[in-house]
Amino acid sequence: MRSRFIRPLLLAIAMLFLSSASFAQIGVAITIAPPALPVYEQPVCPGDGYIWTPGYWAWGDDGYFWVPGTWVEAPEVGFFWTPGYWGWGGSSFVWYDGYWGPTVGFYGGINYGFGYFGHGFEGGRWDGGHFFYNRAVTNVNVTVIHNVYETKVDVRNDVHVSYNGHGGIDARPTTREEAAAHERHVGPVAAQTQHINAARGNPALRDSANHGRPPIAATARPGEFNNRSAENAGGRGNTAVHPKELPPAERAAPPNTGNAKLDQKYQQQQTKLAAQQDKERQNLQAQQEKEHQQLAKQKANDQRTQQVEQKHQQQTQQLVQKHAQQQQQLQQRQAPPAAHAAPAAKPK
C-alpha cells in the first residue's frame, strides 16, 4: 500500500495534523480526494474465524484503484480489523494503514458498512475463543455457521464519503480509539498484502477505467477476482444504471429439510418473493423509461441527462441491496434455529 513515500518535511507536517489515534504507518500523500465508496453486496462468509475487511480506494502509479472488500482469517484469536483510511494532513491527503488488534481503533469515522459504521465494529464479537457473527449486518449462511447472534443497528446508508477532513467526514477519535492505537497489534497479513497487489495490477480496478464503479467490489476470499461471488458482489450489479442491465436474479436452492410439507411451504415463500422482486424490477424500469421520454421531449441538456442517469443508477443499486437483504432474511427465517453465544461483555 506504500508505493510512494512522501518527503521527510511533508511527512513531519502531516503527522502534526493527523491524529495520533491512527498508529499505522503513513504512506502516500496526494492532493486529489479519493472517490466515493461504491455500493456493493457482501459475499457470504466462507467459514468460521473469517472477519470482514471492507474495500477502499488505494493509490498507485496510475492514480486511485479499488481494493475489493474481502473476508480474511484473523491472525490471532481475539483480534479485530481496524480499516485504513484517508485523512487530510493540512496540505494533502495521507493514507493510514489498517491493522489487527484486540480493539478496533480509529478509522476516520468512515462508514465502510457491514459493521464498520464510523466507530467501532458491530459485525461480530469474540467469545470463548470463537468469533460470533452479528447476522443483522453481515452475510452469514446460518446453516453452515451456527455461532451467530442478531443485534439490529440503526445506520445511515446514504453517506459514501471515503475520507476524513477537508470537506469529508468530520470525526475525531474517542478515548477508547486513542488507547487502541497503543495496544499490541500487527499489520495486514500476507493474504491481504497479496490481495492488494493483485488489485493494483488489475487495470479494471483503476478509477481512471471504472470512474468510481469498480467491476469487482468484493470477494469471498483474498485475491478471488474471477469467481462468481466476486461478480455478484460488485461486478455487474454495481455498474448497472437501469434494472434491465442487471444480471438475472439468483434464486435460492430448493429447500430440503426432510419434511415434504415444510419444503413445500418454503418453496412457496421463495416463489412469492421472486415474483415480487421481478415485479419491482419491471416497475422501476418502466418508471425510468418514462423519465427518459420526458427528457427527450424537453430536449434536456447533457448536464440534466447525466443527473437523471446518476439518480437512476442510485435507484437501481438501492433495489439490488433491498432484494439481497430480503433474500438473506428469508434464508435466515427458513434456517434451523441458530446457536447463540453465551452472555458476554460489550463487543469490542
Side-chain angles (χ1 to χ4, degrees), residues 28 30 34 57-59 64 84-88 93-95 162-164:
V28 299
I30 56 178
W57 291 104
W59 182 266
Y64 285 108
Y85 71 97
W86 288 100
W88 180 248
F93 289 97
V94 182
W95 173 255
S162 61
Y163 61 92
N164 178 283

Side-chain angles (χ1 to χ4, degrees), residues 79-118:
F79 268 24
F80 295 88
W81 174 247
T82 295
Y85 71 97
W86 288 100
W88 180 248
S91 60
S92 60
F93 289 97
V94 182
W95 173 255
Y96 277 73
D97 280 330
Y99 56 88
W100 293 94
T103 307
V104 177
F106 185 60
Y107 50 92
I110 311 302
N111 181 4
Y112 286 113
F114 310 113
Y116 300 95
F117 300 123

Side-chain angles (χ1 to χ4, degrees), residues 39 41 231-250 277-278 280-282 284-285 288 312-324:
V39 177
E41 300 172 32
E231 292 179 353
N232 292 337
R236 299 164 294 179
N238 189 55
T239 58
V241 177
H242 308 105
K244 67 181 180 181
E245 299 165 9
L246 292 169
E250 288 196 11
Q277 292 183 341
D278 286 342
E280 289 178 352
R281 280 197 185 194
Q282 294 169 8
L284 181 58
Q285 182 62 42
Q288 293 178 352
H312 287 177
Q313 183 179 33
Q314 184 178 28
Q315 291 172 338
T316 302
Q317 291 175 344
Q318 289 172 345
L319 186 68
V320 169
Q321 285 187 313
K322 174 187 172 182
H323 287 179

Side-chain angles (χ1 to χ4, degrees), residues 40-334:
Y40 61 92
E41 300 172 32
Q42 184 184 56
V44 176
C45 180
D48 279 339
Y50 281 81
I51 293 179
W52 181 250
T53 62
Y56 61 92
W57 291 104
W59 182 266
D61 293 336
D62 299 296
Y64 285 108
F65 66 94
W66 179 252
V67 178
T70 192
W71 291 96
V72 178
E73 288 188 273
E76 293 186 29
V77 172
F79 268 24
F80 295 88
W81 174 247
T82 295
Y85 71 97
W86 288 100
W88 180 248
S91 60
S92 60
F93 289 97
V94 182
W95 173 255
Y96 277 73
D97 280 330
Y99 56 88
W100 293 94
T103 307
V104 177
F106 185 60
Y107 50 92
I110 311 302
N111 181 4
Y112 286 113
F114 310 113
Y116 300 95
F117 300 123
H119 291 279
F121 179 56
E122 304 290 344
R125 64 171 182 248
W126 287 97
D127 183 32
H130 296 280
F131 192 78
F132 285 77
Y133 299 85
N134 181 3
R135 64 184 188 180
V137 295
T138 56
N139 190 1
V140 178
N141 185 345
V142 295
T143 63
V144 177
I145 298 177
H146 303 294
N147 42 317
V148 298
Y149 64 98
E150 186 163 344
T151 300
K152 300 295 184 183
V153 182
D154 185 17
V155 178
R156 288 184 61 189
N157 292 317
D158 58 344
V159 178
H160 305 294
V161 179
S162 61
Y163 61 92
N164 178 283
H166 199 58
I169 301 298
D170 183 15
R172 297 292 180 270
T174 64
T175 302
R176 182 181 179 85
E177 289 169 336
E178 288 274 8
H182 303 289
E183 294 178 336
R184 182 182 71 87
H185 53 256
V186 297
V189 297
Q192 288 174 282
T193 301
Q194 294 166 3
H195 183 72
I196 295 168
N197 290 335
R200 179 183 289 110
N202 190 326
L205 295 179
R206 297 170 188 167
D207 177 51
S208 59
N210 60 54
H211 307 293
R213 299 189 295 272
I216 303 169
T219 67
R221 288 183 174 85
E224 292 186 347
F225 291 173
N226 298 318
N227 65 7
R228 185 173 178 81
S229 66
E231 292 179 353
N232 292 337
R236 299 164 294 179
N238 189 55
T239 58
V241 177
H242 308 105
K244 67 181 180 181
E245 299 165 9
L246 292 169
E250 288 196 11
R251 303 308 184 197
N256 184 19
T257 64
N259 183 324
K261 188 174 181 180
L262 187 60
D263 286 345
Q264 183 181 16
K265 176 184 176 181
Y266 284 172
Q267 184 63 61
Q268 290 173 346
Q269 292 175 346
Q270 293 176 3
T271 301
K272 181 179 178 180
L273 178 60
Q276 171 193 320
Q277 292 183 341
D278 286 342
K279 185 65 175 177
E280 289 178 352
R281 280 197 185 194
Q282 294 169 8
N283 289 343
L284 181 58
Q285 182 62 42
Q287 172 191 324
Q288 293 178 352
E289 288 177 352
K290 183 177 180 180
E291 292 181 0
H292 285 161
Q293 294 170 1
Q294 292 174 345
L295 288 175
K297 289 181 180 180
Q298 297 168 358
K299 297 182 179 179
N301 57 28
D302 291 342
Q303 181 178 2
R304 174 57 180 158
T305 300
Q306 183 178 11
Q307 290 173 345
V308 172
E309 289 297 89
Q310 289 175 344
K311 183 185 75 170
H312 287 177
Q313 183 179 33
Q314 184 178 28
Q315 291 172 338
T316 302
Q317 291 175 344
Q318 289 172 345
L319 186 68
V320 169
Q321 285 187 313
K322 174 187 172 182
H323 287 179
Q325 291 171 354
Q326 289 173 339
Q327 292 283 1
Q328 182 180 355
Q329 289 167 0
L330 180 61
Q331 180 190 55
Q332 291 171 354
R333 290 197 301 269
Q334 294 182 348

